[in-house]
Amino acid sequence: MKKMVFVSEVFTSVPITYSTPLQEKVYQVLQTLEMTFQRVETDEVITMADCQQINERLKMDMVKTLFLCNRQKTNFYLFVTCGDKLFQAKAFSQALEIPRVSFAALEQMSEILGTKIGAATIFSLLLKEASNVQLVLDQAICDQDNYGCSDGTTTGYLKLATEDILQKFLPYVNQQPKIITI
């Protein structure tokens, strides 16, 4: 069982120390945009199976965020879908009408998203290195009341209103997502 600390729902609640520059930016932006959230701090979480305790604590399901690229490694996609959905590269590529994609390399995840495996997050769009990454949202995510994701680390997880992600955060980072159904 993972050790967890639950932080109550307030937009001014921030960690005392930050593990990464991205994590610091996340909490600054949440405060700037007055986005309320609930936060769970835990031992390191890597897989969706590891997220089960977080889901139970926050009474929701975490999203699955995948970092993908084309064969030439020139086009990058941040795909957000339901945690329990299996990723099918062919269906994803067909929905976007692009050649088949694969997972981006771990080095690219670190350089572009500012995260390591298990911490991919929509909040990486705050980084200038991610400015050319195309955000792709599964329609099922847009239809949910809550949005659960990493704060850019493998130890901090957030529950936010999906409406706040769509109507506050994405305009703030000047991102127009492609919304697909698979």
Side-chain angles (χ1 to χ4, degrees), residues 9-166:
E9 183 174 354
V10 290
F11 66 83
T12 57
S13 180
V14 295
I16 296 170
T17 57
Y18 299 103
S19 300
T20 67
L22 174 59
Q23 185 185 39
E24 183 173 6
K25 284 183 181 201
V26 167
Y27 291 100
Q28 289 170 348
V29 167
L30 291 174
Q31 189 168 18
T32 298
L33 298 177
E34 297 184 352
M35 292 173 61
T36 59
F37 60 90
Q38 290 179 320
R39 180 174 186 270
V40 168
E41 187 173 315
T42 182
D43 291 336
E44 189 168 62
V45 171
I46 303 296
T47 68
M48 291 309 298
D50 291 341
C51 288
Q52 189 54 44
Q53 285 182 293
I54 297 168
N55 291 344
E56 290 169 10
R57 185 68 174 124
L58 293 175
K59 297 180 175 72
M60 64 163 301
D61 291 326
M62 300 298 290
V63 300
K64 181 187 297 183
T65 306
L66 305 174
F67 188 45
L68 309 165
C69 65
N70 63 354
R71 281 186 196 196
Q72 297 79 16
K73 298 182 177 154
T74 55
N75 295 329
F76 295 92
Y77 306 89
L78 193 62
F79 179 46
V80 183
T81 189
C82 299
D84 60 351
K85 275 192 182 179
L86 292 176
F87 176 66
Q88 298 175 3
K90 183 177 179 181
F92 176 86
S93 297
Q94 286 176 337
L96 291 177
E97 299 178 352
I98 59 172
R100 188 160 303 175
V101 297
S102 61
F103 291 100
L106 294 177
E107 302 82 39
Q108 292 168 315
M109 179 178 265
S110 177
E111 292 169 11
I112 297 171
L113 299 184
T115 65
K116 61 183 189 174
I117 194 163
T121 180
I122 197 167
F123 291 113
S124 289
L125 298 174
L126 290 166
L127 303 175
K128 66 178 176 156
E129 295 83 359
S131 62
N132 292 324
V133 174
Q134 173 64 59
L135 176 63
V136 181
L137 298 176
D138 187 329
Q139 179 65 53
I141 294 299
C142 298
D143 295 338
Q144 294 179 1
D145 292 334
N146 297 304
Y147 186 94
C149 66
S150 162
D151 67 0
T153 68
T154 56
T155 58
Y157 293 86
L158 302 169
K159 175 182 178 179
L160 306 111
T162 303
E163 183 177 334
D164 282 351
I165 294 291
L166 298 174

